[in-house]
Amino acid sequence: MDFQFTKDQRDMQQMVRDFVQNEIAPRAAEIDSTDEFPRELISKMGELGLMGIPIPEEYDGVGADFVSYISAIEEISYGSASVGVILAVHTSVGTYPILNFGTEEQKQKYVSKLATAEKIAAFGLTEPGAGSDASGMRTRAVRDGDNYILNGSKIFITNGEVADIFNVFAVTDPAQGAKGVSAFIVERGTPGFTIGKKEHKMGMNGSGTVELIFDNAVVPASQRLGQEGEGFKIAMSNLDGGRIGIAAQALGIARAAFDFAVEYAKQRTQFNQSISDFQAIQFMIADMATKIEAARLLTYQAASLRQQGLPCGKQASMAKYFASDAAMSVTTDAVQIFGGYGYSKEFPVERLMRDAKVTQIYEGTNQIQRVVVAKNLLK
Ligand code: CAA
Protein backbone atom coordinates (compact mmCIF):
# COMPACT_ATOMS: atom_id res chain seq x y z
CA MET A 1 0.00 0.00 0.00
CA ASP A 2 1.21 3.47 -0.85
CA PHE A 3 0.56 5.94 1.94
CA GLN A 4 2.15 8.95 0.27
CA PHE A 5 -0.04 11.79 -0.96
CA THR A 6 0.25 12.71 -4.64
CA LYS A 7 1.47 16.20 -5.55
CA ASP A 8 -2.13 17.37 -6.11
CA GLN A 9 -3.17 16.00 -2.72
CA ARG A 10 -0.19 17.70 -1.01
CA ASP A 11 -0.98 20.99 -2.75
CA MET A 12 -4.58 20.84 -1.60
CA GLN A 13 -3.47 19.96 1.95
CA GLN A 14 -1.10 22.95 2.04
CA MET A 15 -3.71 25.34 0.66
CA VAL A 16 -6.21 24.22 3.32
CA ARG A 17 -3.54 24.38 6.06
CA ASP A 18 -2.75 28.00 5.17
CA PHE A 19 -6.43 28.91 5.18
CA VAL A 20 -6.91 27.19 8.54
CA GLN A 21 -3.96 28.98 10.08
CA ASN A 22 -5.03 32.40 8.81
CA GLU A 23 -8.80 32.27 8.86
CA ILE A 24 -10.16 29.39 10.94
CA ALA A 25 -7.92 28.69 13.96
CA PRO A 26 -7.95 32.34 15.14
CA ARG A 27 -11.78 32.19 15.28
CA ALA A 28 -12.22 28.75 16.88
CA ALA A 29 -12.59 29.95 20.49
CA GLU A 30 -15.08 32.64 19.45
CA ILE A 31 -17.20 30.19 17.44
CA ASP A 32 -17.23 27.92 20.51
CA SER A 33 -18.16 30.63 22.99
CA THR A 34 -20.81 32.44 20.91
CA ASP A 35 -22.33 29.24 19.46
CA GLU A 36 -23.12 31.23 16.31
CA PHE A 37 -22.99 29.60 12.90
CA PRO A 38 -19.95 31.18 11.12
CA ARG A 39 -21.87 32.12 7.96
CA GLU A 40 -19.28 34.56 6.55
CA LEU A 41 -16.44 32.09 7.04
CA ILE A 42 -18.43 29.34 5.32
CA SER A 43 -19.21 31.70 2.39
CA LYS A 44 -15.50 32.45 2.08
CA MET A 45 -14.77 28.72 2.09
CA GLY A 46 -17.42 28.37 -0.63
CA GLU A 47 -15.66 30.99 -2.77
CA LEU A 48 -12.39 29.08 -2.41
CA GLY A 49 -14.05 25.78 -3.36
CA LEU A 50 -13.67 24.23 0.08
CA MET A 51 -17.38 23.42 0.37
CA GLY A 52 -17.32 21.39 -2.84
CA ILE A 53 -13.88 19.74 -2.92
CA PRO A 54 -14.87 16.32 -4.32
CA ILE A 55 -17.80 17.59 -6.40
CA PRO A 56 -17.21 17.40 -10.19
CA GLU A 57 -16.28 20.63 -11.96
CA GLU A 58 -19.39 20.40 -14.15
CA TYR A 59 -21.37 21.15 -10.96
CA ASP A 60 -18.98 23.94 -9.93
CA GLY A 61 -17.02 21.77 -7.49
CA VAL A 62 -13.23 21.51 -7.41
CA GLY A 63 -13.29 17.98 -8.84
CA ALA A 64 -10.57 16.82 -6.43
CA ASP A 65 -10.43 13.22 -5.23
CA PHE A 66 -12.01 11.79 -2.07
CA VAL A 67 -8.67 11.54 -0.24
CA SER A 68 -8.10 15.28 -0.75
CA TYR A 69 -11.57 15.96 0.65
CA ILE A 70 -10.88 13.79 3.71
CA SER A 71 -7.55 15.53 4.23
CA ALA A 72 -9.34 18.90 4.10
CA ILE A 73 -11.73 17.78 6.86
CA GLU A 74 -8.72 16.72 8.96
CA GLU A 75 -6.95 20.06 8.46
CA ILE A 76 -10.05 22.18 9.04
CA SER A 77 -10.95 20.23 12.19
CA TYR A 78 -7.39 20.84 13.42
CA GLY A 79 -8.31 24.54 13.44
CA SER A 80 -11.96 24.27 14.47
CA ALA A 81 -13.90 21.03 14.89
CA SER A 82 -17.15 22.96 14.50
CA VAL A 83 -16.18 24.20 11.04
CA GLY A 84 -15.02 20.64 10.28
CA VAL A 85 -18.45 19.16 11.00
CA ILE A 86 -20.26 21.92 9.10
CA LEU A 87 -18.17 21.05 6.03
CA ALA A 88 -18.42 17.27 6.54
CA VAL A 89 -22.21 17.19 6.91
CA HIS A 90 -22.73 19.69 4.09
CA THR A 91 -20.67 17.58 1.69
CA SER A 92 -20.81 13.91 2.78
CA VAL A 93 -24.49 13.62 3.61
CA GLY A 94 -25.79 16.92 2.22
CA THR A 95 -24.44 17.17 -1.32
CA TYR A 96 -23.29 13.62 -2.12
CA PRO A 97 -26.76 12.00 -1.81
CA ILE A 98 -28.10 14.39 -4.47
CA LEU A 99 -25.03 13.88 -6.66
CA ASN A 100 -25.17 10.09 -6.32
CA PHE A 101 -28.94 9.49 -6.40
CA GLY A 102 -30.53 12.64 -7.83
CA THR A 103 -32.05 13.04 -11.30
CA GLU A 104 -30.13 15.30 -13.68
CA GLU A 105 -32.75 17.98 -13.02
CA GLN A 106 -32.22 17.73 -9.22
CA LYS A 107 -28.45 17.85 -9.67
CA GLN A 108 -28.68 20.94 -11.88
CA LYS A 109 -31.01 22.60 -9.41
CA TYR A 110 -29.00 21.95 -6.24
CA VAL A 111 -25.46 20.62 -6.58
CA SER A 112 -23.75 23.74 -8.01
CA LYS A 113 -25.32 25.95 -5.36
CA LEU A 114 -24.17 23.53 -2.64
CA ALA A 115 -20.65 23.14 -4.05
CA THR A 116 -20.16 26.91 -3.86
CA ALA A 117 -21.94 27.24 -0.47
CA GLU A 118 -24.51 29.57 -1.97
CA LYS A 119 -26.82 27.12 -0.23
CA ILE A 120 -26.12 24.99 2.85
CA ALA A 121 -27.27 21.39 3.24
CA ALA A 122 -28.34 19.25 6.19
CA PHE A 123 -29.27 15.59 6.71
CA GLY A 124 -32.49 14.63 8.48
CA LEU A 125 -32.35 10.99 9.59
CA THR A 126 -32.35 10.92 13.42
CA GLU A 127 -35.60 11.19 15.34
CA PRO A 128 -36.44 11.46 19.05
CA GLY A 129 -37.25 7.72 19.14
CA ALA A 130 -34.91 6.53 16.35
CA GLY A 131 -31.20 7.22 16.79
CA SER A 132 -29.14 4.04 16.48
CA ASP A 133 -32.26 2.24 15.23
CA ALA A 134 -32.50 4.54 12.23
CA SER A 135 -34.90 2.32 10.26
CA GLY A 136 -37.31 2.52 13.22
CA MET A 137 -38.13 6.11 12.20
CA ARG A 138 -41.74 7.32 12.54
CA THR A 139 -41.82 10.29 10.18
CA ARG A 140 -44.39 9.43 7.51
CA ALA A 141 -44.62 10.50 3.89
CA VAL A 142 -47.97 9.80 2.22
CA ARG A 143 -48.44 10.29 -1.50
CA ASP A 144 -51.16 12.78 -2.39
CA GLY A 145 -51.36 13.37 -6.15
CA ASP A 146 -48.22 15.22 -7.24
CA ASN A 147 -47.06 15.71 -3.65
CA TYR A 148 -46.07 13.80 -0.55
CA ILE A 149 -47.44 14.93 2.82
CA LEU A 150 -44.81 14.61 5.56
CA ASN A 151 -45.58 14.37 9.26
CA GLY A 152 -43.11 13.83 12.10
CA SER A 153 -39.94 15.33 13.50
CA LYS A 154 -36.16 14.99 13.33
CA ILE A 155 -33.62 15.94 16.00
CA PHE A 156 -29.91 16.76 16.37
CA ILE A 157 -29.73 18.08 12.79
CA THR A 158 -26.29 19.60 12.20
CA ASN A 159 -26.38 22.79 10.04
CA GLY A 160 -30.19 22.76 10.35
CA GLU A 161 -30.34 26.22 11.91
CA VAL A 162 -29.21 27.83 8.64
CA ALA A 163 -29.56 25.12 6.00
CA ASP A 164 -31.49 25.79 2.81
CA ILE A 165 -31.76 22.17 1.71
CA PHE A 166 -32.51 19.12 3.84
CA ASN A 167 -32.20 15.48 2.82
CA VAL A 168 -35.08 14.03 4.81
CA PHE A 169 -35.91 10.36 5.31
CA ALA A 170 -39.50 9.25 5.89
CA VAL A 171 -41.53 6.04 5.84
CA THR A 172 -43.64 5.58 2.71
CA ASP A 173 -44.49 1.91 3.36
CA PRO A 174 -44.60 0.93 7.05
CA ALA A 175 -44.96 -2.78 6.21
CA GLN A 176 -41.53 -2.88 4.53
CA GLY A 177 -39.24 -1.82 7.43
CA ALA A 178 -35.92 -0.42 6.18
CA LYS A 179 -37.08 -1.02 2.59
CA GLY A 180 -40.16 1.16 3.19
CA VAL A 181 -38.12 4.34 3.76
CA SER A 182 -37.87 7.03 1.07
CA ALA A 183 -35.67 10.12 0.77
CA PHE A 184 -36.79 13.67 -0.04
CA ILE A 185 -35.04 16.94 -0.81
CA VAL A 186 -36.93 19.43 1.33
CA GLU A 187 -36.34 23.15 0.91
CA ARG A 188 -36.49 25.67 3.74
CA GLY A 189 -39.78 27.50 3.40
CA THR A 190 -41.75 24.40 2.37
CA PRO A 191 -45.32 24.85 3.71
CA GLY A 192 -45.75 22.83 6.92
CA PHE A 193 -41.99 22.49 7.52
CA THR A 194 -40.50 24.50 10.39
CA ILE A 195 -37.26 24.60 12.37
CA GLY A 196 -37.74 23.65 16.04
CA LYS A 197 -35.59 24.19 19.09
CA LYS A 198 -31.84 24.66 18.96
CA GLU A 199 -29.72 22.27 21.02
CA HIS A 200 -27.34 23.67 23.63
CA LYS A 201 -24.48 21.20 23.55
CA MET A 202 -21.32 20.21 25.40
CA GLY A 203 -19.21 21.12 22.38
CA MET A 204 -19.17 21.44 18.59
CA ASN A 205 -20.80 24.82 19.10
CA GLY A 206 -21.70 26.97 16.11
CA SER A 207 -22.78 24.00 13.99
CA GLY A 208 -26.46 24.97 14.28
CA THR A 209 -27.96 21.77 15.67
CA VAL A 210 -31.77 21.91 15.63
CA GLU A 211 -35.02 19.99 15.51
CA LEU A 212 -37.04 19.78 12.26
CA ILE A 213 -40.83 19.67 12.42
CA PHE A 214 -43.10 18.38 9.65
CA ASP A 215 -46.76 19.19 10.15
CA ASN A 216 -48.57 18.22 6.97
CA ALA A 217 -45.55 19.48 5.03
CA VAL A 218 -46.24 19.48 1.29
CA VAL A 219 -43.25 18.16 -0.65
CA PRO A 220 -43.58 17.84 -4.45
CA ALA A 221 -43.11 14.28 -5.70
CA SER A 222 -40.41 15.66 -8.01
CA GLN A 223 -38.35 16.27 -4.83
CA ARG A 224 -38.18 12.56 -4.00
CA LEU A 225 -34.56 11.38 -4.11
CA GLY A 226 -34.23 7.98 -5.76
CA GLN A 227 -37.08 5.48 -5.92
CA GLU A 228 -39.69 4.88 -3.26
CA GLY A 229 -38.18 2.47 -0.72
CA GLU A 230 -34.60 3.41 -1.64
CA GLY A 231 -34.21 5.93 1.19
CA PHE A 232 -32.48 3.76 3.77
CA LYS A 233 -29.92 2.60 1.22
CA ILE A 234 -29.29 6.25 0.27
CA ALA A 235 -28.77 7.16 3.93
CA MET A 236 -26.51 4.21 4.75
CA SER A 237 -24.36 4.30 1.62
CA ASN A 238 -23.66 8.01 2.11
CA LEU A 239 -22.97 7.44 5.79
CA ASP A 240 -20.22 5.01 4.74
CA GLY A 241 -18.40 8.02 3.27
CA GLY A 242 -19.59 10.34 6.03
CA ARG A 243 -18.05 8.16 8.72
CA ILE A 244 -14.64 8.45 7.06
CA GLY A 245 -15.13 12.20 7.32
CA ILE A 246 -15.86 11.92 11.04
CA ALA A 247 -12.73 9.77 11.45
CA ALA A 248 -10.74 12.54 9.75
CA GLN A 249 -12.38 15.12 11.95
CA ALA A 250 -11.41 13.16 15.07
CA LEU A 251 -7.88 12.86 13.70
CA GLY A 252 -7.66 16.64 13.26
CA ILE A 253 -8.92 17.24 16.82
CA ALA A 254 -6.44 14.70 18.25
CA ARG A 255 -3.53 16.22 16.32
CA ALA A 256 -4.36 19.70 17.59
CA ALA A 257 -4.54 18.49 21.21
CA PHE A 258 -1.27 16.60 20.77
CA ASP A 259 0.56 19.64 19.36
CA PHE A 260 -0.68 21.89 22.16
CA ALA A 261 0.29 19.28 24.78
CA VAL A 262 3.82 18.72 23.43
CA GLU A 263 4.46 22.45 23.18
CA TYR A 264 3.23 22.98 26.72
CA ALA A 265 5.14 20.00 28.17
CA LYS A 266 8.40 21.38 26.74
CA GLN A 267 8.01 24.85 28.20
CA ARG A 268 6.34 24.06 31.56
CA THR A 269 8.85 23.59 34.40
CA GLN A 270 8.17 21.88 37.73
CA PHE A 271 10.73 20.54 40.23
CA ASN A 272 13.30 22.71 38.35
CA GLN A 273 12.98 20.86 35.07
CA SER A 274 10.77 20.73 32.01
CA ILE A 275 7.86 18.37 32.64
CA SER A 276 8.71 16.73 29.29
CA ASP A 277 11.80 15.33 31.03
CA PHE A 278 9.58 13.15 33.22
CA GLN A 279 8.94 9.66 31.91
CA ALA A 280 5.32 9.90 33.11
CA ILE A 281 4.76 12.66 30.53
CA GLN A 282 6.96 11.03 27.88
CA PHE A 283 4.92 7.80 28.01
CA MET A 284 1.68 9.76 27.62
CA ILE A 285 3.12 11.59 24.61
CA ALA A 286 4.29 8.32 23.04
CA ASP A 287 0.85 6.73 23.51
CA MET A 288 -0.92 9.80 22.12
CA ALA A 289 1.27 9.84 19.01
CA THR A 290 0.82 6.10 18.44
CA LYS A 291 -2.98 6.35 18.64
CA ILE A 292 -2.95 9.28 16.20
CA GLU A 293 -0.73 7.38 13.76
CA ALA A 294 -2.94 4.26 13.86
CA ALA A 295 -6.07 6.42 13.41
CA ARG A 296 -4.45 8.11 10.41
CA LEU A 297 -3.67 4.78 8.73
CA LEU A 298 -7.22 3.45 9.19
CA THR A 299 -8.77 6.73 8.04
CA TYR A 300 -6.75 7.04 4.83
CA GLN A 301 -7.08 3.34 4.05
CA ALA A 302 -10.87 3.72 4.16
CA ALA A 303 -10.69 6.96 2.13
CA SER A 304 -8.53 5.29 -0.49
CA LEU A 305 -11.01 2.38 -0.85
CA ARG A 306 -13.91 4.84 -1.17
CA GLN A 307 -11.99 6.79 -3.79
CA GLN A 308 -11.48 3.64 -5.83
CA GLY A 309 -15.19 2.84 -5.65
CA LEU A 310 -14.49 -0.32 -3.61
CA PRO A 311 -16.66 -1.50 -0.68
CA CYS A 312 -15.54 0.45 2.38
CA GLY A 313 -18.33 0.13 4.98
CA LYS A 314 -16.30 -2.07 7.31
CA GLN A 315 -13.14 0.05 7.04
CA ALA A 316 -15.15 3.29 7.39
CA SER A 317 -16.70 2.05 10.64
CA MET A 318 -13.33 0.78 11.93
CA ALA A 319 -11.74 4.15 11.16
CA LYS A 320 -14.63 6.10 12.69
CA TYR A 321 -14.66 4.28 16.00
CA PHE A 322 -10.91 3.94 16.36
CA ALA A 323 -10.16 7.56 15.44
CA SER A 324 -12.90 9.01 17.66
CA ASP A 325 -11.86 6.84 20.62
CA ALA A 326 -8.28 8.00 19.97
CA ALA A 327 -9.42 11.64 19.89
CA MET A 328 -11.23 11.25 23.21
CA SER A 329 -8.21 9.63 24.82
CA VAL A 330 -5.66 12.05 23.33
CA THR A 331 -7.65 15.17 24.25
CA THR A 332 -8.20 13.86 27.80
CA ASP A 333 -4.45 13.27 28.14
CA ALA A 334 -3.74 16.74 26.73
CA VAL A 335 -5.93 18.26 29.46
CA GLN A 336 -4.03 16.14 32.01
CA ILE A 337 -0.65 17.35 30.76
CA PHE A 338 -1.85 20.96 31.04
CA GLY A 339 -2.98 20.23 34.62
CA GLY A 340 -5.15 22.96 36.16
CA TYR A 341 -4.58 25.17 33.11
CA GLY A 342 -6.03 22.42 30.93
CA TYR A 343 -9.31 22.67 32.81
CA SER A 344 -9.44 26.43 32.23
CA LYS A 345 -11.18 27.99 29.23
CA GLU A 346 -8.08 30.20 28.80
CA PHE A 347 -6.44 27.28 26.99
CA PRO A 348 -7.83 25.40 23.98
CA VAL A 349 -7.49 21.81 25.17
CA GLU A 350 -10.72 21.73 27.21
CA ARG A 351 -12.63 22.75 24.05
CA LEU A 352 -10.91 20.00 22.08
CA MET A 353 -11.91 17.46 24.75
CA ARG A 354 -15.54 18.63 24.65
CA ASP A 355 -15.54 18.58 20.84
CA ALA A 356 -13.98 15.10 20.70
CA LYS A 357 -16.79 13.52 22.71
CA VAL A 358 -19.46 13.78 20.03
CA THR A 359 -17.27 12.13 17.40
CA GLN A 360 -17.88 8.93 19.40
CA ILE A 361 -21.63 9.51 19.09
CA TYR A 362 -22.72 11.09 15.81
CA GLU A 363 -22.90 9.48 12.37
CA GLY A 364 -23.56 6.28 14.32
CA THR A 365 -22.37 5.63 17.87
CA ASN A 366 -19.14 3.70 18.26
CA GLN A 367 -21.20 0.74 19.45
CA ILE A 368 -23.15 0.82 16.15
CA GLN A 369 -19.84 0.99 14.24
CA ARG A 370 -18.83 -2.25 15.94
CA VAL A 371 -22.19 -3.76 14.88
CA VAL A 372 -21.42 -2.78 11.27
CA VAL A 373 -17.90 -4.24 11.46
CA ALA A 374 -19.12 -7.50 13.04
CA LYS A 375 -21.96 -7.83 10.47
CA ASN A 376 -19.40 -7.48 7.69
CA LEU A 377 -17.13 -10.07 9.25
CA LEU A 378 -19.84 -12.63 9.99
CA LYS A 379 -22.08 -12.39 6.91
N1 CAA B 1 -24.91 0.67 1.97
C1 CAA B 1 -26.00 0.47 1.20
N2 CAA B 1 -27.14 -0.08 1.66
C2 CAA B 1 -27.18 -0.44 2.96
C3 CAA B 1 -26.07 -0.27 3.82
C4 CAA B 1 -24.89 0.32 3.27
N3 CAA B 1 -23.81 0.54 4.03
N4 CAA B 1 -26.39 -0.72 5.04
C5 CAA B 1 -27.66 -1.16 4.96
N5 CAA B 1 -28.15 -0.98 3.70
C6 CAA B 1 -29.51 -1.25 3.19
C7 CAA B 1 -29.59 -2.62 2.59
O1 CAA B 1 -30.52 -2.56 1.51
C8 CAA B 1 -30.16 -3.48 3.69
O2 CAA B 1 -30.89 -4.54 3.17
P1 CAA B 1 -30.16 -5.97 2.90
O3 CAA B 1 -29.61 -6.39 4.21
O4 CAA B 1 -31.27 -6.80 2.41
O5 CAA B 1 -29.10 -5.70 1.89
C9 CAA B 1 -31.09 -2.50 4.41
O6 CAA B 1 -30.44 -1.23 4.28
C10 CAA B 1 -31.32 -2.79 5.87
O7 CAA B 1 -30.05 -2.95 6.48
P2 CAA B 1 -29.90 -3.54 7.96
O8 CAA B 1 -30.74 -4.78 8.08
O9 CAA B 1 -28.46 -3.63 8.28
O10 CAA B 1 -30.63 -2.37 8.82
P3 CAA B 1 -30.84 -2.20 10.36
O11 CAA B 1 -32.19 -1.63 10.56
O12 CAA B 1 -30.47 -3.45 11.09
O13 CAA B 1 -29.79 -1.02 10.72
C11 CAA B 1 -27.70 -0.10 11.46
C12 CAA B 1 -28.45 -1.15 10.62
C13 CAA B 1 -26.24 -0.32 11.12
C14 CAA B 1 -27.93 -0.27 12.95
C15 CAA B 1 -28.16 1.30 11.00
O14 CAA B 1 -29.48 1.58 11.45
C16 CAA B 1 -27.26 2.42 11.49
O15 CAA B 1 -26.23 2.69 10.88
N6 CAA B 1 -27.63 3.11 12.59
C17 CAA B 1 -26.94 4.31 13.02
C18 CAA B 1 -27.60 5.53 12.45
C19 CAA B 1 -26.64 6.64 12.16
O16 CAA B 1 -25.51 6.44 11.76
N7 CAA B 1 -27.11 7.87 12.32
C20 CAA B 1 -26.32 8.99 12.00
C21 CAA B 1 -27.17 10.20 11.86
S1 CAA B 1 -26.45 11.41 10.81
C22 CAA B 1 -25.40 12.33 11.75
O17 CAA B 1 -25.09 12.01 12.85
C23 CAA B 1 -24.87 13.56 11.07
C24 CAA B 1 -24.27 14.53 12.00
O18 CAA B 1 -24.93 15.32 12.62
C25 CAA B 1 -22.81 14.61 12.13
Side-chain angles (χ1 to χ4, degrees):
M1 254 189 273
D2 181 6
F3 289 108
Q4 299 305 311
F5 277 8
T6 63
K7 181 173 181 315
D8 284 351
Q9 289 164 348
R10 278 201 312 275
D11 288 349
M12 170 66 77
Q13 185 187 43
Q14 193 54 53
M15 189 275 271
V16 178
R17 251 182 210 172
D18 293 343
F19 184 78
V20 168
Q21 199 182 343
N22 297 326
E23 306 274 353
I24 298 184
R27 294 201 45 201
E30 170 215 322
I31 294 169
D32 177 55
S33 65
T34 61
D35 193 17
E36 279 173 20
F37 191 90
R39 194 66 183 85
E40 279 170 36
L41 181 60
I42 298 300
S43 298
K44 208 169 198 176
M45 286 168 60
E47 282 163 28
L48 279 175
L50 294 177
M51 299 301 282
I53 294 170
I55 307 304
E57 287 171 277
E58 62 174 306
Y59 298 108
D60 294 326
V62 170
D65 60 22
F66 191 76
V67 168
S68 298
Y69 162 59
I70 289 302
S71 149
I73 296 178
E74 179 192 341
E75 296 304 327
I76 287 171
S77 302
Y78 182 93
S80 161
S82 300
V83 180
V85 78
I86 292 168
L87 164 70
V89 167
H90 174 80
T91 311
S92 295
V93 288
T95 312
Y96 260 130
I98 304 178
L99 185 69
N100 291 338
F101 291 93
T103 61
E104 192 49 45
E105 203 182 335
Q106 289 169 338
K107 289 193 240 187
Q108 294 293 344
K109 190 169 170 194
Y110 296 113
V111 176
S112 293
K113 291 194 169 89
L114 293 172
T116 54
E118 191 185 317
K119 295 207 180 289
I120 300 295
F123 181 75
L125 180 69
T126 303
E127 298 187 358
S132 292
D133 181 12
S135 64
M137 69 179 68
R138 304 285 292 275
T139 297
R140 281 282 272 134
V142 177
R143 182 85 188 226
D144 179 22
D146 289 342
N147 298 311
Y148 283 88
I149 308 299
L150 268 63
N151 279 291
S153 68
K154 301 283 173 181
I155 50 162
F156 305 140
I157 308 306
T158 302
N159 292 350
E161 187 183 16
V162 300
D164 307 283
I165 288 155
F166 301 77
N167 295 322
V168 174
F169 300 85
V171 177
T172 41
D173 185 351
Q176 296 292 321
K179 292 194 166 70
V181 172
S182 301
F184 300 90
I185 307 169
V186 180
E187 293 190 12
R188 180 177 286 260
T190 294
F193 167 45
T194 50
I195 305 297
K197 84 172 166 67
K198 178 174 171 174
E199 292 297 332
H200 296 288
K201 301 168 295 179
M202 174 190 284
M204 222 53 92
N205 292 328
S207 59
T209 309
V210 296
E211 179 186 21
L212 311 180
I213 299 163
F214 302 92
D215 182 8
N216 288 322
V218 183
V219 178
S222 59
Q223 296 291 100
R224 196 187 64 223
L225 192 54
Q227 299 303 313
E228 259 197 22
E230 228 187 347
F232 198 66
K233 185 179 89 180
I234 294 174
M236 289 298 129
S237 59
N238 283 288
L239 278 170
D240 285 347
R243 288 165 180 167
I244 306 171
I246 300 306
Q249 181 192 37
L251 183 55
I253 296 171
R255 261 182 53 216
F258 176 79
D259 286 356
F260 283 123
V262 168
E263 184 66 30
Y264 182 80
K266 286 200 282 197
Q267 56 92 7
R268 170 75 172 169
T269 55
Q270 289 290 277
F271 306 102
N272 297 320
Q273 56 182 327
S274 159
I275 63 167
S276 63
D277 290 338
F278 293 108
Q279 210 173 43
I281 299 291
Q282 291 173 355
F283 282 9
M284 282 170 91
I285 286 173
D287 284 345
M288 290 158 88
T290 303
K291 286 174 188 167
I292 290 171
E293 205 58 43
R296 175 178 292 121
L297 294 175
L298 279 173
T299 302
Y300 284 97
Q301 175 191 242
S304 163
L305 289 172
R306 181 89 175 165
Q307 180 168 299
Q308 294 170 66
L310 295 168
C312 67
K314 182 183 74 178
Q315 288 83 357
S317 287
M318 285 176 167
K320 194 276 189 188
Y321 86 70
F322 188 90
S324 58
D325 284 351
M328 197 63 236
S329 152
V330 168
T331 55
T332 305
D333 284 352
V335 170
Q336 192 70 18
I337 289 172
F338 269 74
Y341 294 109
Y343 203 65
S344 161
K345 285 195 186 282
E346 300 244 327
F347 292 86
V349 285
E350 64 81 32
R351 166 170 50 82
L352 293 167
M353 185 176 161
R354 286 186 286 108
D355 285 346
K357 183 61 209 172
V358 77
T359 65
Q360 296 179 305
I361 298 172
Y362 60 25
E363 298 221 7
T365 64
N366 283 3
Q367 289 67 35
I368 287 296
Q369 306 309 321
R370 287 165 169 91
V371 168
V372 173
V373 171
K375 261 192 183 177
N376 268 277
L377 294 170
L378 299 171
K379 73 183 170 193

